[in-house]
Amino acid sequence: MTFILNFLSLGIPFSVALLIASLGEMFNQRAGIFNLGCEGIMAMGAFLGMLIPYSIGRGADVPGIYNYLGLLVATGVGALLGLFFAMVVVTFRAPQGIAGIGLQMFGVGTAGTLFRHFVGGTQSIPGINRAPIPFLADIPVLGPLFFNHNPLVYVAFFLVPIAWYVLFKTPWGLRVRAVGTHPRAADSIGIQVNKVRFQALALGGALAGLAGAYLSLCQAKMFSDEIIAGRGFIAVALVYFGHWNPVKIMGGALLFSLAQALQLAIQGLGIDFPYEFLVMLPYVLVILVLTLSRKAQHMGPTALGKPFNREMRT
Amino acid sequence: MEHTTRTINSLRVEHITKRFPGVLACDDISLSIGKGEVLALVGENGAGKTTLMNVLMGLYHPDEGKIFINDEEVHFKSPNDAFACGIGMVHQQYMLVPNMTVLENIALGYKQAWKGLKLDLALVRRQVKDVIGKYGLTVDPDAYIWQLSVGEQQRVELVKTLCLGARFLILDEPTSALTPQETDELIVLLKRMAGELSIIFISHKLQEVKDLSSKVAILRHGKVVFQGTTSDHSSSDIAALMTGHEVVLPHNTGEACCLGPMLQLKNLKARSDRGFLALDDLSLYVCKGEIVGLAGVSGNGQRELAEVINGLRHVESGQILFDGQDIANFTPAQVIDAGMGYIPEERNTEGIVPSFSMKENFILKDSTSSQFNRHAFLNNKEIDRNANELREKFDIRSPNIEVAAGSLSGGNIQKVILAREISRNPKFLIAVYPTRGLDMGAAEFIHKQLLQKRNEGVGILLISEELDEITNLSDQVAVIFKGKIQKVLPSSKASRRRLGILMAGVKDDEEI
C-alpha cells in the first residue's frame, strides 16, 4: 500500500513539466504549427528560472519572490522565443521540422553556455517548495496524493480545464482550430491566419518556458545541461497521443510519468533485475499505447506543418 | 464599415487585370450586374473566372482596375471588406472546417457572437434558424462537417454566406460536385433566392446557365469575349463562344457487337474504408470493343469497384476474369502488367505525382521498361521524345514538358493521365469520372479519345455520374445501386428517366 502510494505521489509531480509543455504544444499544433523547438524553449526557461533567484535573489530580504520572478521571466522569454519561431516559420515559411530542430539546438546550447558563463558549475537553489493545502492535505491517502504538492502542480492541473475551455468555448479557440485545419476557409471569412498563428505560438512558447522553469525551480532545484532530458520531444509526442485534446493529453502525461515513477520505485525495492530495462519501461509503454490506440479521424489539425500563402494557387 | 446596411443596387468592375507568375489570369475585364439579376459567368478551365471572383472578394488584389458598388468606388483589402459591403462567396472547394460543427463554422465569421472569452453559439443558432426558415434550406446546425455529404455541405456554405449578411452571392461552380438530384434541388433553391439577391454564378454546364441566369458573360483566356441576355442565345451558341469553336460532343455510333468478354466480374464482394460491404455480390461483364457505362449515385460502390479491379482494394470473394485470367487480389503492378489501363477518380492524388514534371508523370508505369531505361539509368532522350510526342498528340497546353504536373489545369492533368494510359496500349480501360469538373472543350477531346479506343477494340468500363456522358458514349448501360448491378440496358433503351428510377433503387422498371 505505501509502495503504491509512494509511487503515485511521486508520479504526479513528474507529469507537470510534460503536461504544461504539451498543453502549449497543443495550441501550436491546433493552429497548424508543429514546434519541435519545444525542448530548446524549455531549456531556456529552466536556465532563466534558476538564474533569477540564484543571481539577484541571493541575500535579498524576501528570496521567495525571486523564485516567482524567475517563473515569470522564463514564461516571458518562452513567449518571445515562440514569436521568434513564428517569424521563421509563419512569416518566412521555413520548413517547420528543420526550424524546430534549429530552435531546439539554439535553446539548449544557449542555456548551457549562459549557465557556464553566469553560474559556472552545478549550484543548487532553495527553489519553490511544497505547499500542502490546509485540512485537505491531512486526509488519509487522498491528502498526500493530491493536496501535498508544489504550487505549480495545482496550477498545471488547473490549466487542463482552462485550456479545454479556451480551445473549444472561446472565439479565439475557434479561430485557432480553424487556422490549423483549413486556413483557406478561415481566410475566406476574414480571419487573419498568420496573426492567429503568431498568438498561438506565443502562448505555446510561454507554456514551454514555464514548464522548463518548473524543472529547475521546483523539481530539480538546480540547473544542468541535461535537465530537460528529451521532455520537450515527449511533449510533442503526447500531443499526438492525446489527439490534440487537453484531457487526453493529461492522461498521456500521467501515464508516462507514473510509469517513470513506477520504475524508480521498483529500482528502490532492490530486486535483482537489470535496471536498464526498467528505465525503458515508460518509453516502451508510450510506444505500445501509441501503436495500439485508435487513430484520431477527422478531429485533428489537418493543415499541421503547412505554411499558409493566400495567393498560392492550389 | 458604414456600407453594412445598404442594399446593393449595382456592382460594376472595370478593367480588372490580375497577373500570376507566368500567367495573365484576368485581362482587362469589365462587367456589371444590377439588383435581382443572375449573371452566369462561363468559360473553360483556366479562363480566369475564379480569379476574377477572388478579386471581387478581396482575396486577391488586382494589379489594375476598379470595383464600384452603387456607382461608388470600393477597395477590398481582405474578405472582411467585401462582407461588410454585403458580398458573399461560395467557393468551388468548400471553405468549411471539417472538424468543427456547422454552428462553429458560421460563428467563425459571425463576429457579433464573439463576446470576449465567450462564444455565443445561441446567437448564431438563432441567426441560422432565421436564414433556414426564410429560404427553406435544411441544415442540421450541430452536425460536424465531415459527417455531411457534399450536397449538405453546399447548403451549409449557402447558410453561412447568408448568415454573414450577404445580399450579393458569388457561386463558384456550385454544381460541380453534386449528384444530378442535388443539382436540380440547388437550381430550384437558387431561383427562389434570386428574387431577393443578386447572384453571379460560375459554371460550364450550359443547361444550368440556361435554367438559371438572366445574363451571361463568357470569358476566354482571361478576357470577356461576350456579354448578353441568356434567353437570346442557344446553348450551342454559348458553347461555341466559350471554346472558340463549335462543340459537338461525340456520340457512340458504332454497332454494338460483342467480340467476346474481356472483363468478367463474378459475385464480387469487397468492403469500403468504413467496413461495410461496398460491393455486394456484384456481377458484370464487358466485351472487347465495347463501352459499358456504369451509372449510379456516387457512393454506391463505384470507387470500390474501380479499386478492386486495379488491385488497390482487397476482394473478399468472387472472381475478376480479365482475358480469361483471374486477377482478383493481384497487386497493382500485376494488374498493370496484365494490360489494364486506369483513369482514377482523384486525378491530382491518384492519377499523377503533382510535384513530378509532366514528362516524368508520363513514364510512371514504365520507369523500368527497356524503352525508358538503359543499364539502370533513365534514358532521358527517349523520355523527352515520348513526352513531346504525347504533348502534341493529346494537345496538352503547358509551357514545356518540364513543368510540374500539379501546376497544370484540371483538363490538362486529365489529358496527361489519358495520354499515359492510352499510349501504353492497354487491352482494357477503366475510366472513373473522366470529365468531372472539366470544360466542354476538354470533355469533347476525352470523349473522342475514348470512342476511338473503343473502335480499336479496347473494352472500356466508364464510371460516371453524368447521364449524358454515359448515354452518349456507352454501348451498354449498367446501373449500380448499393454495391449491386440493378440492371444492364442497351444504351438505346436507357432514357434519363428510366436510369434515374433505376439509380434510385427501384428494380422493376419494365412497366414504367
Side-chain angles (χ1 to χ4, degrees):
Chain A
M1 185 65 198
T2 43
F3 172 77
I4 295 176
L5 210 60
N6 275 344
F7 108 78
L8 286 178
S9 57
L10 187 64
I12 289 173
F14 271 174
S15 69
V16 167
L18 287 176
L19 181 55
I20 298 178
S22 49
L23 287 177
E25 180 72 19
M26 177 195 75
F27 280 105
N28 295 342
Q29 294 197 9
R30 276 284 186 174
I33 311 287
F34 141 83
N35 185 356
L36 269 186
C38 187
E39 177 99 359
I41 302 182
M42 286 176 80
M44 285 298 283
F47 166 67
L48 290 167
M50 179 264 177
L51 180 74
I52 304 278
Y54 174 79
S55 60
I56 43 178
R58 251 188 323 188
D61 293 339
V62 202
I65 288 193
Y66 291 94
N67 289 327
Y68 289 94
L69 186 65
L71 286 180
L72 208 65
V73 170
T75 310
V77 171
L80 288 179
L81 286 170
L83 288 173
F84 171 69
F85 188 67
M87 191 182 74
V88 176
V89 299
V90 176
T91 310
F92 298 118
R93 303 192 191 105
Q96 294 173 13
I98 305 297
I101 292 173
L103 179 59
Q104 181 255 329
M105 297 203 294
F106 170 77
V108 173
T110 311
T113 308
L114 294 178
F115 174 70
R116 268 179 292 282
H117 183 74
F118 287 108
V119 183
T122 311
Q123 294 285 346
S124 70
I125 47 164
I128 299 173
N129 289 313
R130 282 173 196 232
I133 296 178
F135 308 117
L136 291 176
D138 301 329
I139 305 172
V141 185
L142 294 180
L145 261 188
F146 297 117
F147 305 112
N148 186 14
H149 287 298
N150 199 287
L152 271 195
V153 178
Y154 312 127
V155 170
F157 284 92
F158 194 58
L159 276 178
V160 174
I162 292 182
W164 181 86
Y165 184 86
V166 168
L167 189 61
F168 293 109
K169 297 291 163 190
T170 65
W172 186 73
L174 187 74
R175 295 201 287 275
V176 167
R177 284 184 288 145
V179 301
T181 309
H182 198 334
R184 217 163 258 279
D187 183 47
S188 78
I189 52 176
I191 309 281
Q192 290 173 274
V193 174
N194 288 352
K195 184 172 148 194
V196 176
R197 289 184 165 179
F198 262 81
Q199 293 164 342
L201 278 168
L203 176 62
L207 289 173
L210 179 65
Y214 169 82
L215 286 175
S216 63
L217 273 171
C218 306
Q219 191 166 311
K221 303 202 165 114
M222 54 170 273
F223 178 85
S224 76
D225 281 356
E226 299 83 33
I227 188 165
I228 311 299
R231 285 185 182 83
F233 291 106
I234 295 191
V236 175
L238 284 176
V239 176
Y240 282 89
F241 178 91
H243 296 172
W244 302 276
N245 181 316
V247 181
K248 291 189 199 167
I249 287 172
M250 178 181 76
L254 278 173
L255 179 76
F256 183 81
S257 311
L258 290 177
Q260 186 88 19
L262 179 66
Q263 67 94 357
L264 284 175
I266 295 177
Q267 282 190 49
L269 287 180
I271 305 171
D272 184 22
F273 185 79
Y275 78 96
E276 289 88 347
F277 285 101
L278 287 171
V279 175
M280 279 193 235
L281 178 75
Y283 302 91
V284 172
L285 193 68
V286 164
I287 292 173
L288 264 183
V289 176
L290 263 181
T291 330
L292 300 178
S293 63
R294 231 162 48 88
K295 301 290 172 287
Q297 286 181 324
H298 307 298
M299 296 317 274
T302 41
L304 187 58
K306 295 175 196 149
F308 177 65
N309 183 356
R310 179 191 281 167
E311 300 216 352
M312 187 81 178
R313 304 229 262 179
T314 46
Chain B
M1 274 178 97
E2 67 277 18
H3 297 282
T4 313
T5 50
R6 286 165 53 180
T7 54
I8 297 182
N9 292 317
S10 74
L11 183 141
R12 208 166 77 234
V13 299
E14 286 185 357
H15 309 294
I16 295 282
T17 297
K18 174 73 189 172
R19 295 180 195 90
F20 288 105
V23 190
L24 183 57
C26 293
D27 184 5
D28 194 26
I29 292 181
S30 301
L31 287 173
S32 76
I33 307 104
K35 192 172 183 227
E37 282 186 323
V38 180
L39 172 77
L41 196 58
V42 294
E44 304 201 279
N45 292 310
K49 304 168 302 228
T50 303
T51 307
L52 179 64
M53 292 303 108
N54 282 336
V55 167
L56 257 187
M57 282 308 298
L59 279 164
Y60 294 161
H61 301 288
D63 297 321
E64 284 159 43
K66 292 171 180 169
I67 304 172
F68 297 88
I69 291 179
N70 300 340
D71 293 323
E72 207 177 290
E73 189 177 350
V74 287
H75 296 277
F76 295 155
K77 287 193 200 68
S78 81
N80 280 330
D81 298 343
F83 295 140
C85 290
I87 302 178
M89 176 161 175
V90 176
H91 295 259
Q92 186 179 4
Q93 277 138 357
Y94 299 147
M95 295 295 183
L96 296 169
V97 184
N99 61 358
M100 305 200 319
T101 65
V102 171
L103 274 186
E104 287 179 325
N105 265 285
I106 294 168
L108 201 54
Y110 196 64
K111 302 211 170 54
Q112 293 94 313
W114 299 4
K115 295 180 175 158
L117 285 178
K118 187 169 176 285
L119 185 65
D120 191 352
L121 284 179
L123 183 69
V124 184
R125 191 183 296 273
R126 279 199 298 279
Q127 177 75 8
V128 169
K129 281 231 170 85
D130 278 356
V131 168
I132 288 177
K134 191 169 170 194
Y135 296 101
L137 289 149
T138 44
V139 161
D140 171 10
D142 295 306
Y144 280 95
I145 300 301
W146 61 264
Q147 297 171 319
L148 302 178
S149 73
V150 178
E152 288 169 315
Q153 290 188 25
Q154 176 150 52
R155 287 202 292 279
V156 175
E157 278 281 17
L158 281 170
V159 171
K160 181 178 88 178
T161 312
L162 295 168
C163 280
L164 302 185
R167 274 151 289 121
F168 191 104
L169 276 184
I170 300 173
L171 308 172
D172 189 357
E173 295 194 23
T175 60
S176 61
L178 299 186
T179 64
Q181 286 88 335
E182 287 171 331
T183 304
D184 294 345
E185 285 168 25
L186 179 74
I187 301 245
V188 172
L189 176 72
L190 290 179
K191 272 186 173 164
R192 203 159 59 218
M193 288 166 50
E196 301 180 34
L197 306 159
S198 307
I199 299 176
I200 296 186
F201 86 103
I202 298 179
S203 181
H204 39 233
K205 295 185 186 162
L206 299 177
Q207 194 55 47
E208 295 162 21
V209 173
K210 290 293 286 178
D211 283 351
L212 194 56
S213 68
S214 49
K215 278 168 66 177
V216 59
I218 299 172
L219 255 60
R220 197 161 74 222
H221 304 309
K223 282 193 164 93
V224 178
V225 293
F226 172 81
Q227 275 194 78
T229 311
T230 313
S231 50
D232 295 347
H233 302 273
S234 72
S235 300
S236 50
D237 288 350
I238 297 172
L241 283 162
M242 194 167 104
T243 53
H245 63 94
E246 290 279 325
V247 176
V248 188
L249 283 179
H251 285 250
N252 183 346
T253 51
E255 283 294 305
C257 55
C258 189
L259 308 168
M262 192 63 197
L263 180 73
Q264 228 176 332
L265 311 174
K266 285 186 177 170
N267 307 96
L268 273 186
K269 281 191 185 180
R271 290 189 184 275
S272 75
D273 290 342
R274 283 190 276 171
F276 60 83
L277 272 184
L279 300 181
D280 187 3
D281 214 18
L282 182 141
S283 299
L284 182 70
Y285 72 90
V286 185
C287 299
K288 288 175 193 158
E290 177 186 66
I291 297 182
V292 171
L294 188 69
V297 177
S298 73
N300 273 295
Q302 292 96 322
R303 156 179 278 269
E304 288 81 3
L305 178 63
E307 290 178 349
V308 151
I309 298 172
N310 286 287
L312 297 163
R313 185 175 289 275
H314 181 74
V315 180
E316 293 215 332
S317 65
Q319 282 182 309
I320 304 173
L321 293 176
F322 181 46
D323 210 6
Q325 184 189 15
D326 186 4
I327 61 164
N329 290 328
F330 269 33
T331 64
Q334 289 171 315
V335 177
I336 291 168
D337 289 343
M340 186 71 76
Y342 181 34
I343 299 172
E345 177 177 0
E346 301 285 344
R347 65 179 76 103
N348 290 307
T349 51
E350 295 177 272
I352 57 164
V353 180
S355 58
F356 278 21
S357 66
M358 195 170 108
K359 66 176 189 184
E360 287 167 331
N361 270 289
F362 280 137
I363 60 153
L364 279 186
K365 289 186 171 177
D366 297 294
S367 59
T368 55
S369 82
S370 56
Q371 188 189 353
F372 300 116
N373 203 306
R374 202 183 288 152
H375 317 302
F377 287 95
L378 287 175
N379 181 351
N380 277 315
K381 223 181 251 173
E382 178 60 18
I383 292 171
D384 287 356
R385 191 202 56 74
N386 177 61
N388 281 317
E389 183 188 314
L390 292 179
R391 174 163 165 248
E392 194 160 321
K393 190 170 160 208
F394 285 83
D395 187 29
I396 299 164
R397 311 222 178 116
S398 68
N400 52 53
I401 55 170
E402 313 285 343
V403 289
S407 68
L408 299 173
S409 72
N412 283 314
I413 289 176
Q414 196 70 321
K415 285 180 183 173
V416 168
I417 298 170
L418 191 77
R420 180 182 70 215
E421 296 303 321
I422 285 183
S423 65
R424 304 183 74 255
N425 290 319
K427 292 190 225 164
F428 196 88
L429 202 52
I430 293 173
V432 190
Y433 308 118
T435 60
R436 184 192 263 178
L438 301 192
D439 57 64
M440 309 248 316
E444 177 191 17
F445 182 87
I446 284 165
H447 285 178
K448 278 186 181 152
Q449 292 290 332
L450 291 177
L451 281 175
Q452 192 191 333
K453 276 288 143 189
R454 171 207 177 265
N455 295 336
E456 289 168 13
V458 174
I460 297 176
L461 178 62
L462 170 69
I463 300 178
S464 177
E465 284 172 340
E466 302 274 346
L467 294 183
D468 290 335
E469 177 169 63
I470 286 192
T471 48
N472 281 352
L473 297 183
S474 306
D475 298 287
Q476 305 278 333
V477 181
V479 178
I480 189 170
F481 180 72
K482 291 196 175 160
K484 285 192 175 75
I485 298 296
Q486 282 278 84
K487 195 167 186 85
V488 183
L489 304 165
S491 181
S492 54
K493 291 186 179 157
S495 65
R496 271 188 89 88
R497 182 181 148 80
R498 196 169 176 190
L499 287 179
I501 288 166
L502 283 165
M503 281 161 68
V506 182
K507 188 126 196 174
D508 191 19
D509 59 304
E510 297 296 344
E511 306 89 86
I512 301 169

